[in-house]
Structures are given as C-alpha cells and as structure tokens.
Amino acid sequence: MADDAAATFDLPIVLRFSELAVAALGEAREEIDALNVYPVPDGDTGTNMFLTLESARGAMLDALGGDAESPAPGDLRTALAAFARGALLGARGNSGVILSQLIGALCKRLGEAGPDDRSAQVFAEGMGLATEASYAAVGQPVEGTILSVAKAASEAAAASAEVPDHRLGHVIRAAAAAAREALARTPDQLQVLRDAGVVDAGGRGLCVVLDAAETAVTGRRPVSGHPPFGSHAIPVPLPSGDLTAEGPAYEVMFLLDTDDDRIPSLRSALAPLGDSLVVVGGDGLWNVHVHVDDVGAAVEAGIEAGRPYRVRVTHFAEQVERRTTPRPVVRTGRAVVVVAAGPGIGDLFVQAGATVVPGGPGRRPSTGQVLEAIVSAGAAEVIVLPNDRDSIAAAEAAARTAREESDVRVAVIGTIAQVQGLAAMAVHEPGRAFDQDVLEMTAAARHARSGAVTVAARQAMTTAGPCEPGDVLGAIEGDFVIVGDDLLTVANQIVERLLGGGGELVTLVAGAEADDLAAQCARQVESLHPTVDVVVYAGGQPRYPLLVGVE
C-alpha cells in the first residue's frame, strides 16, 4: 500500500507486521540495550523485547502451519490469538512483559472485530485497552517509561479515529508519531533518564514496533528522511557516569498456571518484597516479573497461588559486571549446535556429537531456542549450523547474545540446507584451532550443492512456471526449477542437474512419507554414474519427500 488508505487488518498485514517488527527490533537491539538505565541498568531491554516479539511471531507461524511466504489456511483470529500467547510465553524482562500485555490486549480486541466494524476505530479501541491493561499490570506505574509512550500513542489513535475520513493507516501513523514525541519527553519525566542523558529504552522499543506497524499498513517509512527502523529523530547519547544498580538484587520471572481470581492475592504477596512488579496474562496462564532481594519468598508466593514453572533468576550485579568487566572463560571444549528438520536428520547430527535444535519448514526455531542450546552446551566455543535460510537471522542473534551474556565464542556458518549441515559436520574436528575448524566446515558446506523435492500445497507462480496443488516441485539451492507430476521423475531430474556440475558423493535424505523414493534414486545414480558414491539416510523431515546433496 502506498498511502494511508489501508482499510483493514487482514492476515497478510499481520504477517508482514510481525516480520518487519522482529527485523526492526533485531537491528535496534544494541541501541536499545545501550539506553537501558531504568529500572536497572542491566543493558538488556532491546534483547528482551526482541525475544518477546520473536516468540510471538514463531507461535503465530506454528499455529498457521507455515511461514510468512506461504501460510497454511488459517483465519485472522487464530493468528492473533497465537501471536498474543507466544508473546506471553516468551516475554523476558520488565519491558518484554509489559510489551506482551500490550500485544495481548490489542490482539484480543482485533480478534473480536466483526465484518461491519470500522478497522480504524477497532485499532484505536485496542490501543486504549492495551494501555489500560499495561498500567493495571504494573504494581507501581512510573511515567517516563514505555507506559507513557503507550498512553500517548493510544490517545493519538483515539483522536485520529474520530475523524470521519481517517482509515486504519491514518490512525496507526498518528499513534506512531505521538509515540516518538512522547519518547522525546521521557527524560523530562524521569530523573534517572535525564541524569544519564538518554530516553527510555522500553519506550524506544515500543516506537520501533509501532513504526513497523505503520510501514506494514501504509508501506511508508515512519519519519521522512530517516531510516524506517533506525535511530529516531532526536539524538540519543549513550549512558555515562555511575550506573551501578540500586534497589533489589535479583530479577525473578516465572510462568504461572492458576485461576485468575488468585492473582490479586499474588500481587499483594509480591508487592512488599521489592519493586518492578508486573503480572500479565489471563485465562489461567500468567507471566510474573518482580525485582526482589528474597528470591525464595517470591517463588513461594507463586507456589501458594498456583503452579510456577520456567523460573528465571538474574543477579543484577553479576549481569552488570558481565557487560562492563571481562571475565575469564570458565567453559571448556567446543560444541556444534545444529537446526535439524526431522528426527532422522537430528539423530545423524547427535551421533556426530552435535546439540540439536528441532526446526524445518513451519517449525523454525526462535532466537531463544538457539540461545538456550548454545549456552546449555557448556562449551567455551560453539559453532552454529542453521541449515535453513530463514533460520540464519535467529542463529546470528542468538550468537550475539551468547557472546555478551555468557562469554562464549560463537561462530555461525550460513548453511542454508540440511545437506550442507551434514557436509560441514563431516569435517568438524574439535582438536584443531577454532578459526581453522570454522574455515574447513564453511568450505565443506559451500561445496555441497543442495536440492529438494516437495509437493505443492496451493496454486502459485514459481521460477519454473505456475503450479497447482498436487504438482511435484523440484528445487535447487532453494529455487524451484522443475514442475512435474511424478515424484521419482522430478527427483531423478534434480539429481542429474546437480551432478551436471560434477560430484563424487550424492547424499539422499528420505522424508517422513517418502516410501522408497530415495532408494530408487540411489539405484538410478549407481546405474548412470558408477564412479559416484551414494549414501541414503532416513531423515523423517516433513513436507520434503527427498533432500539431495552433491559434493
């Protein structure tokens, strides 16, 4: 859309927004982290908001059963509900939890809209409800924070929606502009921001999200003359001076299964223990965040209220020290973390000594999942093989976070196919120098040409021409190059094209419902190319009956 005439929030716009917002927060993550001086100068607000929104997007794509380019059939309500739940489950840190509440309330109102409702008005109402919910979720609301920015955005949205000829694009643009103006005022509202010479980090993150919404709906950049998701129109100096944390020593977070009517008593129990209390959620699932000195008392309050799980405790002094003072590496050895598209492929990687993160089409891992695998590997050096073009960004974001938070030396090799990961893993040697190991694995991956065979689920236009549901598609290096009607024929054609550039080894990975397709292809290769070695693996990957690699 090239103007403000967008009339409604449909599924393509929501998908586009989620992609833009995650990418924008990823790009602005370090800037936002550097602004983080309130409530604790632990420098992780940008990272937490990025991980929260990425979790929301991942849950939505999983619910739709596809990715942003080809979502499986699913309605808008399904997408919005999954997006909100993913944000709640993946929320991290004070600002991440508040962001999840904003998302949840807005998504709920959008999901309730009927076909005759005016989208501009619905969005404005959703923004208002989101702001009210976020203020209600915070134990002691403080102005000059993300709450102030949200309030300004919702008020501007409401005013714009009252204009008769204003449509959705106008309302979102007004909200985003008001948020930027409110962000510039945050140092005047909060002394700690003024002393540090910065704007509020959480408010900056919310501006990035609203800017992404504006671009998704209108197609325009949010501020003329400025990059859509880069630095905002006011200068932002980095924090200076003594930012030693004051107040409670620990951040405690957990998910809680409990009846909604038990939340007031939980708030009452947690409030005297510390500050920065935020409790968000509903319908039996809650995300609890609080800063305390007595960790045990906070967890016990959760136990009395219901069933707490995914308990995370952060010691602020240690976190600040990690970001400001180099520490000796206490981890040892080297590990490889790989994204595997099927159980069989995963077993192959595990047998080779790798730590596996489940992935593949419709199940692409989040940054948080890759980060957890990197950290839990317990190694001083980690090599990550994403094995999928769309998982590379998550792998790189996880690597950056691991380097900063855990002092792990991490390298991401940009493998875009499972067979490239297998090739890289085959030459992995933990006994040689780290850089040399990365170099050898990268070279092996690049020398492995990849192909795949799948079946079209919908009508589409490919680089090989149009396809209909049920057509067999053959891909090379991620591009569809053959449209046919027989699995074996297309599979053999893909193998022959890959071998046309030469090759000594053909790797065939059979999918979950491949029957004997891989074995038949192997016999064809052995018959036509007797000097070429062939190996067949049971990969068990969905959607792709056959993956092919040629080295």
Side-chain angles (χ1 to χ4, degrees), residues 344-362:
I345 300 177
D347 288 343
L348 291 174
F349 284 122
V350 169
Q351 292 169 16
T355 298
V356 170
V357 179

Side-chain angles (χ1 to χ4, degrees), residues 83-174:
F83 193 77
R85 182 175 176 83
L88 178 64
L89 291 174
R92 288 180 39 155
N94 190 67
S95 294
V97 173
I98 295 174
L99 177 62
S100 75
Q101 184 75 340
L102 289 165
I103 289 172
L106 177 59
C107 285
K108 182 178 181 180
R109 179 63 188 95
L110 294 175
E112 293 171 346
D116 297 328
D117 289 337
R118 182 168 163 254
S119 292
Q121 187 64 44
V122 170
F123 179 81
E125 292 173 0
M127 283 292 297
L129 292 171
T131 299
E132 292 175 8
S134 64
Y135 270 87
V138 176
Q140 295 179 320
V142 175
E143 298 303 323
T145 65
I146 185 175
L147 298 177
S148 304
V149 176
K151 182 196 295 183
S154 62
E155 291 174 349
S160 179
E162 292 301 317
V163 179
D165 62 344
H166 273 198
R167 307 179 78 178
L168 180 60
H170 297 92
V171 173
I172 292 181
R173 172 164 293 182

Side-chain angles (χ1 to χ4, degrees), residues 31 65 120 128 168 173-175 184 197 203 236 306 324 333 397 419 454 462 524 533 548:
E31 173 206 337
L168 180 60
R173 172 164 293 182
V236 184
T324 58
V419 292
T454 188
T462 74
Q524 176 85 346
D533 293 327
V548 183

Side-chain angles (χ1 to χ4, degrees), residues 333-334 381-383 409 411 413 427-441:
R334 183 179 308 155
E381 301 171 338
V382 178
I383 298 171
R409 188 179 186 188
I413 298 175
V427 301
H428 166 57
E429 177 50 65
R432 61 187 168 209
F434 181 75
D435 291 338
Q436 186 63 30
D437 200 23
V438 172
L439 182 63
E440 296 290 342
M441 294 176 71

Side-chain angles (χ1 to χ4, degrees), residues 37-39 49 94-95 98 102 134-135 138 140-152 179 182-193 199-207 276:
V37 299
Y38 180 84
M49 296 183 79
N94 190 67
S95 294
I98 295 174
L102 289 165
S134 64
Y135 270 87
V138 176
Q140 295 179 320
V142 175
E143 298 303 323
T145 65
I146 185 175
L147 298 177
S148 304
V149 176
K151 182 196 295 183
L183 178 66
R185 294 192 297 269
T186 56
D188 299 328
Q189 298 172 291
L190 200 55
Q191 184 67 41
V192 66
L193 301 179
V199 294
D200 179 66
R204 169 68 177 126
L206 181 58
C207 286
S276 298

